[in-house]
Amino acid sequence: MKLYPHQETSRDFLLDRKRAILADQPRVGKTLPTASAALDNLPALIVCPSIAKPVWLRAITALGHDDVVVVSGRKMAKEPHGASVVVVNYDLLPDMEPKHFLRYKTLVLDESHRIKSHTAKRTKMAMKAMKAIPYVYALSGTPIPNRPIELWPLLHGLGIFGGSYYDFASRYAKMWVAPWGLDVSGASNLPELKAMMKPRVMRRKKEDVFTDYQDPQVSLITFDLPVDKRERDFDATALMANPHALLAFEGLAEVMKEAGLRKVNPAAEFISDLLESDGKVVVFAHHKDVVAQLCDKLKAYKPVTITGDTPAKQRELHMNAFQQDPNTKVIIGNIAAMSEGVDLSAADVVVFVEATWQTSALEQASSRVENISKQSFRPLIYLLTVRASLDHTILGKVLQKLNIIDQII
C-alpha cells in the first residue's frame, strides 16, 4: 500500500528521531506511516486500545507483512512471542513480563494519552517498556486530554524531560499545596514546555494537510423538556474543570442519566429525520440504557451498537456492517467505546445525544467520520441538549473553550 506524501513525511520524522510523538489531529492518518516506520526496525511491540487491534493488524498486513501476533487474554500476554510484530491492548500490558521487552527494537504507543496517570499499572509498565526499547513512537491526536501534568509519563519515558514527576509538576503544572493536598491541575511555563517538546513532536491540523478541508459545522440543538431542579445545586465552572465530574460530584451521575433518558424520544425523532435525508448517522451517548432505548426506537434503520460490554469480535462485525451494509443506517455507542481507533467514515453526520464535557474527547469522537480519502466534505455535528439545563450551559461554554493543546504543541 502506498503512503500519501504527508504520511511519508510522518514516517521519515519518526525514523529520524527514534523516540518521538506523532500528534497529528485525529483522522489525518497516523497508523499507516507509523506501521511503516516500525517495520524498518523489527521486532516491534504495538500497544493500543482493544478496539484498535484489528486496525493495526490491517495496517501491518496492508504493508505486505504477515508475521503478526495479536495478543488476547492475560495468559497470552504473559507468554513470550517470537513474531516480528506483536499487538497488545493497554489493559493487558500490565500482564506482560518486563524481561520480554528486551527483544523488541520498536515500541508503538497508540493513543498514548492512555498513559496519562503516573500511578496506573499500565503507565508504569509502559514506562518500563520505553526504557528497554530503543525506538519509541507515541501517537495521539489529543495528547493532553485535560492538563499538562498528564504529559509527564510520556515525556519522561521518551527522555524529553529527565526530571521527576514533582519536578515537572512544579515547573509546568503550577503545583501548590491545597487544603486537600497537592494540586497539579494547573498550567505554567507553557512556552518553555512547548520549546522543549518541539524537536520531538510533529503535529499537523487537518487544514495543514488537506487543502480542501472544511471545519465541521457544529450545532447545539435544544429541546423544550422539564429540567431537574437538582441541577441547580451544581456549579457549571467546577464541573467543567473536573475530567471525572460524573464520579466526583455526588448525585450528578443519576441526574445526568435521567436527563439522557428524557431526551430519548425527541432525539430518536431528530435522528430519524436525519436518516431520511442524510444517509448514515453516528450516534454517541454515555449511558447504556440510553443506547439501548435509542436502538429500540431506531430499529427500522437496522442500528448496530458498541458499548464497553460489546465483545471485540462483535465490535468489528458491527463496524463492518455500518461501513459496508447500505441497510445499516445508524451506529449507536458510548463515547469511550467508539472514540478512538475507529473508522466510521461511511457517515458524514454525528449526533451526541449525551456529550462529554471534555473538548479533546468531543474532537476524538466527532473525527470518527473523517477519512483522508474523503474530499471536500463538511462533517455535521449535532449536540442535543435540554433548554436551560446544566448540560446546555456547559456545552455552550465548551464550544467556546480554547484547547490547551494548541498552546503547547
Side-chain angles (χ1 to χ4, degrees):
M1 177 177 284
K2 186 175 175 60
L3 301 181
Y4 286 89
H6 76 276
Q7 292 178 317
E8 291 179 354
T9 301
S10 304
R11 178 183 182 277
D12 294 343
F13 176 86
L14 296 175
L15 289 172
D16 287 346
R17 283 154 184 80
K18 296 186 180 181
R19 303 172 76 85
I21 302 171
L22 186 55
D24 288 342
Q25 277 192 326
R27 311 313 292 165
V28 167
K30 297 184 288 292
T31 303
L32 207 58
T34 306
S36 179
L39 291 177
D40 264 28
N41 293 284
L42 296 173
L45 175 65
I46 296 172
V47 186
C48 62
S50 179
I51 199 169
K53 288 195 289 188
V55 176
W56 280 98
L57 178 60
R58 286 195 295 270
I60 296 294
T61 54
L63 291 168
H65 193 84
D66 58 7
D67 185 22
V68 187
V69 164
V70 178
V71 176
S72 59
R74 287 189 165 85
K75 182 180 178 181
M76 191 175 178
K78 293 179 185 296
E79 299 170 352
H81 299 286
S84 58
V85 179
V86 176
V87 183
V88 64
N89 53 297
Y90 281 102
D91 293 338
L92 296 179
L93 186 60
D95 294 295
M96 297 189 74
E97 294 287 347
K99 62 184 180 183
H100 295 159
F101 296 146
L102 295 172
R103 72 173 288 263
Y104 297 104
K105 286 189 177 180
T106 300
L107 170 67
V108 174
L109 296 171
D110 186 22
E111 306 294 356
S112 59
H113 50 269
R114 292 289 186 101
I115 60 166
K116 62 186 179 181
S117 171
H118 74 291
T119 58
K121 290 181 180 178
R122 68 172 62 171
T123 302
K124 292 177 179 178
M125 192 60 80
M127 293 182 76
K128 289 180 180 179
M130 284 190 277
K131 185 176 181 180
I133 301 172
Y135 290 80
V136 183
Y137 307 142
L139 280 63
S140 179
T142 51
I144 312 160
N146 301 298
R147 52 199 70 174
I149 191 60
E150 295 168 356
L151 272 174
W152 179 79
L154 186 59
L155 297 187
H156 186 75
L158 290 171
I160 295 174
F161 180 83
S164 71
Y165 173 85
Y166 296 102
D167 292 336
F168 189 92
S170 176
R171 187 66 185 166
Y172 303 114
K174 214 171 187 176
M175 183 175 71
W176 65 289
V177 181
W180 54 86
L182 284 180
D183 188 314
V184 294
S185 62
S188 51
N189 299 305
L190 295 187
E192 178 182 304
L193 178 57
K194 178 178 180 179
M196 180 176 65
M197 292 174 62
K198 187 176 181 180
R200 302 277 194 92
V201 178
M202 172 176 280
R203 178 168 175 81
R204 292 166 298 183
K205 297 182 179 181
K206 294 158 194 162
E207 56 266 34
D208 298 330
V209 175
F210 310 121
T211 56
D212 59 353
Y213 175 76
Q214 298 184 60
D215 284 322
Q217 178 180 318
V218 182
S219 300
L220 199 62
I221 307 298
T222 56
F223 299 134
D224 286 317
L225 296 171
V227 176
D228 194 313
K229 293 179 180 179
R230 291 174 292 174
E231 294 190 20
R232 301 175 194 161
D233 298 333
F234 298 99
D235 181 345
T237 303
L239 295 179
M240 282 185 67
N242 194 306
H244 307 293
L246 289 178
L247 298 177
F249 292 82
E250 186 177 356
L252 180 62
E254 181 184 353
V255 170
M256 297 314 296
K257 180 178 179 180
E258 291 176 7
L261 290 170
R262 280 197 300 275
K263 283 192 281 185
V264 166
N265 284 335
E269 185 176 348
F270 178 83
I271 295 165
S272 295
D273 289 341
L274 291 175
L275 289 166
E276 292 298 328
S277 59
D278 286 315
K280 298 196 176 195
V281 175
V282 176
V283 179
F284 287 102
H286 178 72
H287 296 95
K288 294 172 187 174
D289 289 350
V290 175
V291 172
Q293 289 193 24
L294 286 168
C295 186
D296 182 63
K297 298 285 183 184
L298 298 167
K299 59 187 176 184
Y301 302 98
K302 294 189 176 181
V304 290
T305 61
I306 294 179
T307 69
D309 294 338
T310 308
K313 288 185 178 179
Q314 196 171 0
R315 288 185 186 200
E316 190 167 8
L317 288 173
H318 285 184
M319 284 189 288
N320 287 341
F322 181 72
Q323 287 289 92
Q324 299 169 16
D325 185 351
N327 295 315
T328 301
K329 297 284 190 180
V330 60
I331 188 167
I332 309 168
N334 299 139
I335 293 172
M338 291 206 310
S339 64
E340 296 174 347
V342 180
D343 182 2
L344 302 174
S345 56
D348 292 341
V349 181
V350 178
V351 176
F352 288 91
V353 176
E354 296 177 292
T356 173
W357 295 334
Q358 297 178 39
T359 54
S360 58
L362 276 175
E363 181 188 25
Q364 275 276 11
S366 59
S367 292
R368 296 309 98 194
V369 301
E370 297 175 1
N371 188 294
I372 59 176
S373 63
K374 280 188 171 182
Q375 300 292 325
S376 300
F377 90 107
R378 189 177 192 187
L380 301 176
I381 300 171
Y382 299 99
L383 298 104
L384 310 187
T385 67
V386 175
R387 192 178 304 280
S389 68
L390 185 64
D391 191 48
H392 185 270
T393 300
I394 293 178
L395 283 174
K397 292 181 178 181
V398 164
L399 295 178
Q400 298 172 10
K401 183 182 177 182
L402 290 175
N403 196 330
I404 199 170
I405 289 177
D406 290 329
Q407 296 183 49
I408 298 176
I409 296 177

